[in-house]
Amino acid sequence: TPYVLFNGTASKTSVDLSDSASNYSYLEIFYGWDGLGFGISSTKVASPNGRTANLGQIVHANNNLYVASSYWSISGSSITNSSSEYWRWAANGSPTRTQTNQISVYYVVGYK
């Protein structure tokens, strides 16, 4: 049975869960490129409490290739962004890199 633990305002920094991650066998985190219509992805994290989830997307748009990756720490009833990178490759240029987070968490589901 899935339990919705977060379904609030999307966040690029942290989300508060309605229950501790330690009470679940795994969490499924739904995330996407912040504010853009590139779709939502998800990842499952087994034995989630104290673990780190890597949330990332690769997008091709406007003759560019975009890669966003962020690491989120799962601890008790919170999931917090701890590190992020964002790369852009222009069709006729070299890549540019920032440490700006482009990934937002939209909702989290727990499974016992």
Side-chain angles (χ1 to χ4, degrees):
T1 303
Y3 298 89
V4 176
L5 302 176
F6 173 77
N7 190 15
T9 303
S11 177
K12 289 173 40 173
T13 57
S14 67
V15 297
D16 293 323
L17 304 177
S18 60
D19 194 8
S20 176
S22 63
N23 295 326
Y24 297 87
S25 297
Y26 66 93
L27 296 183
E28 186 168 10
I29 302 169
F30 294 83
Y31 62 93
W33 202 287
D34 184 58
L36 299 176
F38 293 143
I40 294 177
S41 301
S42 74
T43 192
K44 293 180 181 177
V45 181
S47 303
N49 198 45
R51 307 268 319 260
T52 301
N54 180 18
L55 309 181
Q57 284 194 318
I58 299 171
V59 176
H60 176 258
N62 303 320
N63 292 320
N64 293 295
L65 180 65
Y66 301 91
V67 177
S69 175
S70 65
Y71 296 92
W72 293 69
S73 300
I74 303 167
S75 180
S77 60
S78 67
I79 301 176
T80 306
N81 178 268
S82 55
S83 175
S84 301
E85 286 196 21
Y86 158 61
W87 290 78
R88 180 179 69 86
W89 282 270
N92 295 319
S94 58
T96 57
R97 174 186 176 262
T98 69
Q99 289 182 293
T100 304
N101 182 27
Q102 299 296 329
I103 300 292
S104 283
V105 171
Y106 292 100
Y107 53 101
V108 179
V109 176
Y111 298 87
K112 294 194 174 194

